Amino acid sequence: MRTQLFQIAKFGAVGVVNTGTFYVLYLLLHTWLPYYPAYVIAFLISMVGSFFLNTYITYRTKPTWRKFLLFPLTNLTNFVVTSVGVFVLVEWFHVNEKIAPLAAAVVAIPVTFVLSRKILTHRDADRPADEVPVAARG
């Protein structure tokens, strides 16, 4: 139980850093792109950062190609929830385009924790012998 609480705290800290990175990217991209393409691009870039931050900091596990390829599946739920949220907030409730992604992200946090923990803490012993950690490949 203590380990899980510590992971939740680290997940939150990583999430704050990742959300900040996403938001800065979103604002920079939104200077020359409409809000939704800026949102999608910033989301994809921050997802890669999230994988490595959560692998090394939150769950203290080795990144592998298998985990890297599965990690976007966990974020698919996050993407759907936040994408629908951004659209609904901006188009239906006329929330400022600069604030809507932050508000929508709050709803997706618990789901993302559960799914990322399942994938990133999957036993390394269960992986195929030929699977090499991401950091070991060039």
PDB file of all heavy atoms in Angstrom, residues 64-82:
ATOM      1  N   THR A  64      11.265  -0.678 -22.296  1.00  0.00           N
ATOM      2  CA  THR A  64      11.468  -1.673 -23.349  1.00  0.00           C
ATOM      3  C   THR A  64      10.646  -1.244 -24.555  1.00  0.00           C
ATOM      4  O   THR A  64       9.732  -0.416 -24.439  1.00  0.00           O
ATOM      5  CB  THR A  64      11.005  -3.075 -22.898  1.00  0.00           C
ATOM      6  OG1 THR A  64       9.595  -3.047 -22.649  1.00  0.00           O
ATOM      7  CG2 THR A  64      11.755  -3.546 -21.653  1.00  0.00           C
ATOM      8  N   TRP A  65      10.973  -1.819 -25.678  1.00  0.00           N
ATOM      9  CA  TRP A  65      10.185  -1.505 -26.873  1.00  0.00           C
ATOM     10  C   TRP A  65       8.743  -1.965 -26.693  1.00  0.00           C
ATOM     11  O   TRP A  65       7.813  -1.305 -27.151  1.00  0.00           O
ATOM     12  CB  TRP A  65      10.810  -2.145 -28.116  1.00  0.00           C
ATOM     13  CG  TRP A  65      11.995  -1.369 -28.581  1.00  0.00           C
ATOM     14  CD1 TRP A  65      13.309  -1.727 -28.492  1.00  0.00           C
ATOM     15  CD2 TRP A  65      11.986  -0.062 -29.162  1.00  0.00           C
ATOM     16  NE1 TRP A  65      14.113  -0.733 -28.988  1.00  0.00           N
ATOM     17  CE2 TRP A  65      13.323   0.303 -29.406  1.00  0.00           C
ATOM     18  CE3 TRP A  65      10.981   0.843 -29.491  1.00  0.00           C
ATOM     19  CZ2 TRP A  65      13.679   1.520 -29.976  1.00  0.00           C
ATOM     20  CZ3 TRP A  65      11.326   2.061 -30.056  1.00  0.00           C
ATOM     21  CH2 TRP A  65      12.661   2.379 -30.293  1.00  0.00           C
ATOM     22  N   ARG A  66       8.543  -3.092 -26.030  1.00  0.00           N
ATOM     23  CA  ARG A  66       7.185  -3.592 -25.807  1.00  0.00           C
ATOM     24  C   ARG A  66       6.376  -2.575 -25.001  1.00  0.00           C
ATOM     25  O   ARG A  66       5.255  -2.226 -25.351  1.00  0.00           O
ATOM     26  CB  ARG A  66       7.225  -4.931 -25.078  1.00  0.00           C
ATOM     27  CG  ARG A  66       5.858  -5.524 -24.806  1.00  0.00           C
ATOM     28  CD  ARG A  66       5.999  -6.887 -24.090  1.00  0.00           C
ATOM     29  NE  ARG A  66       4.729  -7.536 -23.981  1.00  0.00           N
ATOM     30  CZ  ARG A  66       3.870  -7.326 -22.970  1.00  0.00           C
ATOM     31  NH1 ARG A  66       4.179  -6.483 -22.011  1.00  0.00           N
ATOM     32  NH2 ARG A  66       2.715  -7.952 -22.935  1.00  0.00           N
ATOM     33  N   LYS A  67       6.955  -2.096 -23.897  1.00  0.00           N
ATOM     34  CA  LYS A  67       6.271  -1.104 -23.064  1.00  0.00           C
ATOM     35  C   LYS A  67       6.068   0.203 -23.828  1.00  0.00           C
ATOM     36  O   LYS A  67       5.010   0.833 -23.719  1.00  0.00           O
ATOM     37  CB  LYS A  67       7.071  -0.840 -21.788  1.00  0.00           C
ATOM     38  CG  LYS A  67       7.085  -2.009 -20.834  1.00  0.00           C
ATOM     39  CD  LYS A  67       7.994  -1.717 -19.647  1.00  0.00           C
ATOM     40  CE  LYS A  67       8.132  -2.914 -18.736  1.00  0.00           C
ATOM     41  NZ  LYS A  67       9.066  -2.643 -17.627  1.00  0.00           N
ATOM     42  N   PHE A  68       7.083   0.605 -24.581  1.00  0.00           N
ATOM     43  CA  PHE A  68       6.982   1.840 -25.362  1.00  0.00           C
ATOM     44  C   PHE A  68       5.846   1.750 -26.377  1.00  0.00           C
ATOM     45  O   PHE A  68       5.095   2.710 -26.575  1.00  0.00           O
ATOM     46  CB  PHE A  68       8.311   2.120 -26.072  1.00  0.00           C
ATOM     47  CG  PHE A  68       8.326   3.423 -26.830  1.00  0.00           C
ATOM     48  CD1 PHE A  68       8.443   4.633 -26.161  1.00  0.00           C
ATOM     49  CD2 PHE A  68       8.230   3.434 -28.205  1.00  0.00           C
ATOM     50  CE1 PHE A  68       8.455   5.841 -26.852  1.00  0.00           C
ATOM     51  CE2 PHE A  68       8.250   4.630 -28.912  1.00  0.00           C
ATOM     52  CZ  PHE A  68       8.361   5.835 -28.232  1.00  0.00           C
ATOM     53  N   LEU A  69       5.711   0.591 -27.009  1.00  0.00           N
ATOM     54  CA  LEU A  69       4.654   0.408 -28.005  1.00  0.00           C
ATOM     55  C   LEU A  69       3.277   0.247 -27.363  1.00  0.00           C
ATOM     56  O   LEU A  69       2.269   0.620 -27.974  1.00  0.00           O
ATOM     57  CB  LEU A  69       4.972  -0.781 -28.909  1.00  0.00           C
ATOM     58  CG  LEU A  69       6.206  -0.598 -29.795  1.00  0.00           C
ATOM     59  CD1 LEU A  69       6.537  -1.889 -30.540  1.00  0.00           C
ATOM     60  CD2 LEU A  69       6.022   0.557 -30.775  1.00  0.00           C
ATOM     61  N   LEU A  70       3.218  -0.291 -26.158  1.00  0.00           N
ATOM     62  CA  LEU A  70       1.936  -0.432 -25.470  1.00  0.00           C
ATOM     63  C   LEU A  70       1.502   0.840 -24.742  1.00  0.00           C
ATOM     64  O   LEU A  70       0.313   1.064 -24.540  1.00  0.00           O
ATOM     65  CB  LEU A  70       1.996  -1.590 -24.457  1.00  0.00           C
ATOM     66  CG  LEU A  70       2.036  -2.987 -25.051  1.00  0.00           C
ATOM     67  CD1 LEU A  70       2.237  -4.026 -23.949  1.00  0.00           C
ATOM     68  CD2 LEU A  70       0.769  -3.276 -25.840  1.00  0.00           C
ATOM     69  N   PHE A  71       2.461   1.661 -24.352  1.00  0.00           N
ATOM     70  CA  PHE A  71       2.150   2.863 -23.586  1.00  0.00           C
ATOM     71  C   PHE A  71       1.131   3.781 -24.278  1.00  0.00           C
ATOM     72  O   PHE A  71       0.231   4.296 -23.612  1.00  0.00           O
ATOM     73  CB  PHE A  71       3.436   3.628 -23.241  1.00  0.00           C
ATOM     74  CG  PHE A  71       3.236   4.726 -22.251  1.00  0.00           C
ATOM     75  CD1 PHE A  71       3.010   4.440 -20.910  1.00  0.00           C
ATOM     76  CD2 PHE A  71       3.266   6.057 -22.647  1.00  0.00           C
ATOM     77  CE1 PHE A  71       2.830   5.449 -19.979  1.00  0.00           C
ATOM     78  CE2 PHE A  71       3.088   7.072 -21.722  1.00  0.00           C
ATOM     79  CZ  PHE A  71       2.867   6.775 -20.387  1.00  0.00           C
ATOM     80  N   PRO A  72       1.233   3.985 -25.586  1.00  0.00           N
ATOM     81  CA  PRO A  72       0.205   4.815 -26.240  1.00  0.00           C
ATOM     82  C   PRO A  72      -1.212   4.251 -26.101  1.00  0.00           C
ATOM     83  O   PRO A  72      -2.178   5.014 -26.109  1.00  0.00           O
ATOM     84  CB  PRO A  72       0.637   4.842 -27.705  1.00  0.00           C
ATOM     85  CG  PRO A  72       2.113   4.653 -27.642  1.00  0.00           C
ATOM     86  CD  PRO A  72       2.327   3.678 -26.504  1.00  0.00           C
ATOM     87  N   LEU A  73      -1.332   2.935 -25.922  1.00  0.00           N
ATOM     88  CA  LEU A  73      -2.666   2.374 -25.711  1.00  0.00           C
ATOM     89  C   LEU A  73      -3.248   2.860 -24.393  1.00  0.00           C
ATOM     90  O   LEU A  73      -4.450   3.107 -24.294  1.00  0.00           O
ATOM     91  CB  LEU A  73      -2.611   0.843 -25.742  1.00  0.00           C
ATOM     92  CG  LEU A  73      -2.180   0.223 -27.065  1.00  0.00           C
ATOM     93  CD1 LEU A  73      -2.082  -1.287 -26.940  1.00  0.00           C
ATOM     94  CD2 LEU A  73      -3.148   0.612 -28.173  1.00  0.00           C
ATOM     95  N   THR A  74      -2.384   3.016 -23.387  1.00  0.00           N
ATOM     96  CA  THR A  74      -2.890   3.537 -22.113  1.00  0.00           C
ATOM     97  C   THR A  74      -3.285   4.997 -22.268  1.00  0.00           C
ATOM     98  O   THR A  74      -4.246   5.455 -21.654  1.00  0.00           O
ATOM     99  CB  THR A  74      -1.847   3.405 -20.988  1.00  0.00           C
ATOM    100  OG1 THR A  74      -0.735   4.242 -21.264  1.00  0.00           O
ATOM    101  CG2 THR A  74      -1.387   1.977 -20.815  1.00  0.00           C
ATOM    102  N   ASN A  75      -2.546   5.703 -23.080  1.00  0.00           N
ATOM    103  CA  ASN A  75      -2.855   7.119 -23.284  1.00  0.00           C
ATOM    104  C   ASN A  75      -4.003   7.329 -24.260  1.00  0.00           C
ATOM    105  O   ASN A  75      -4.504   8.447 -24.371  1.00  0.00           O
ATOM    106  CB  ASN A  75      -1.613   7.877 -23.758  1.00  0.00           C
ATOM    107  CG  ASN A  75      -0.714   8.194 -22.594  1.00  0.00           C
ATOM    108  OD1 ASN A  75      -1.179   8.408 -21.491  1.00  0.00           O
ATOM    109  ND2 ASN A  75       0.576   8.224 -22.827  1.00  0.00           N
ATOM    110  N   LEU A  76      -4.395   6.279 -24.961  1.00  0.00           N
ATOM    111  CA  LEU A  76      -5.536   6.400 -25.859  1.00  0.00           C
ATOM    112  C   LEU A  76      -6.782   6.813 -25.068  1.00  0.00           C
ATOM    113  O   LEU A  76      -7.538   7.692 -25.499  1.00  0.00           O
ATOM    114  CB  LEU A  76      -5.786   5.098 -26.616  1.00  0.00           C
ATOM    115  CG  LEU A  76      -6.950   5.097 -27.594  1.00  0.00           C
ATOM    116  CD1 LEU A  76      -6.742   6.160 -28.672  1.00  0.00           C
ATOM    117  CD2 LEU A  76      -7.097   3.718 -28.223  1.00  0.00           C
ATOM    118  N   THR A  77      -6.951   6.212 -23.915  1.00  0.00           N
ATOM    119  CA  THR A  77      -8.078   6.598 -23.066  1.00  0.00           C
ATOM    120  C   THR A  77      -7.945   8.051 -22.650  1.00  0.00           C
ATOM    121  O   THR A  77      -8.906   8.818 -22.713  1.00  0.00           O
ATOM    122  CB  THR A  77      -8.135   5.687 -21.824  1.00  0.00           C
ATOM    123  OG1 THR A  77      -8.294   4.343 -22.262  1.00  0.00           O
ATOM    124  CG2 THR A  77      -9.286   6.078 -20.917  1.00  0.00           C
ATOM    125  N   ASN A  78      -6.733   8.432 -22.240  1.00  0.00           N
ATOM    126  CA  ASN A  78      -6.470   9.820 -21.872  1.00  0.00           C
ATOM    127  C   ASN A  78      -6.782  10.744 -23.044  1.00  0.00           C
ATOM    128  O   ASN A  78      -7.436  11.773 -22.892  1.00  0.00           O
ATOM    129  CB  ASN A  78      -5.010   9.964 -21.440  1.00  0.00           C
ATOM    130  CG  ASN A  78      -4.662  11.355 -20.970  1.00  0.00           C
ATOM    131  OD1 ASN A  78      -5.080  12.353 -21.544  1.00  0.00           O
ATOM    132  ND2 ASN A  78      -3.857  11.423 -19.940  1.00  0.00           N
ATOM    133  N   PHE A  79      -6.325  10.357 -24.226  1.00  0.00           N
ATOM    134  CA  PHE A  79      -6.539  11.164 -25.427  1.00  0.00           C
ATOM    135  C   PHE A  79      -8.022  11.327 -25.733  1.00  0.00           C
ATOM    136  O   PHE A  79      -8.490  12.430 -26.019  1.00  0.00           O
ATOM    137  CB  PHE A  79      -5.807  10.535 -26.614  1.00  0.00           C
ATOM    138  CG  PHE A  79      -5.946  11.322 -27.882  1.00  0.00           C
ATOM    139  CD1 PHE A  79      -5.219  12.486 -28.066  1.00  0.00           C
ATOM    140  CD2 PHE A  79      -6.804  10.909 -28.885  1.00  0.00           C
ATOM    141  CE1 PHE A  79      -5.345  13.223 -29.238  1.00  0.00           C
ATOM    142  CE2 PHE A  79      -6.929  11.637 -30.060  1.00  0.00           C
ATOM    143  CZ  PHE A  79      -6.200  12.797 -30.227  1.00  0.00           C
ATOM    144  N   VAL A  80      -8.766  10.238 -25.655  1.00  0.00           N
ATOM    145  CA  VAL A  80     -10.201  10.306 -25.956  1.00  0.00           C
ATOM    146  C   VAL A  80     -10.919  11.197 -24.939  1.00  0.00           C
ATOM    147  O   VAL A  80     -11.683  12.093 -25.309  1.00  0.00           O
ATOM    148  CB  VAL A  80     -10.829   8.895 -26.000  1.00  0.00           C
ATOM    149  CG1 VAL A  80     -12.352   8.965 -26.049  1.00  0.00           C
ATOM    150  CG2 VAL A  80     -10.299   8.121 -27.196  1.00  0.00           C
ATOM    151  N   VAL A  81     -10.638  10.959 -23.663  1.00  0.00           N
ATOM    152  CA  VAL A  81     -11.304  11.747 -22.616  1.00  0.00           C
ATOM    153  C   VAL A  81     -10.954  13.231 -22.750  1.00  0.00           C
ATOM    154  O   VAL A  81     -11.834  14.091 -22.731  1.00  0.00           O
ATOM    155  CB  VAL A  81     -10.927  11.217 -21.215  1.00  0.00           C
ATOM    156  CG1 VAL A  81     -11.412  12.158 -20.125  1.00  0.00           C
ATOM    157  CG2 VAL A  81     -11.500   9.823 -21.007  1.00  0.00           C
ATOM    158  N   THR A  82      -9.670  13.534 -22.915  1.00  0.00           N
ATOM    159  CA  THR A  82      -9.281  14.944 -22.997  1.00  0.00           C
ATOM    160  C   THR A  82      -9.690  15.578 -24.318  1.00  0.00           C
ATOM    161  O   THR A  82     -10.071  16.750 -24.346  1.00  0.00           O
ATOM    162  CB  THR A  82      -7.765  15.132 -22.760  1.00  0.00           C
ATOM    163  OG1 THR A  82      -7.035  14.350 -23.700  1.00  0.00           O
ATOM    164  CG2 THR A  82      -7.374  14.766 -21.342  1.00  0.00           C
TER     165      THR A  82
END
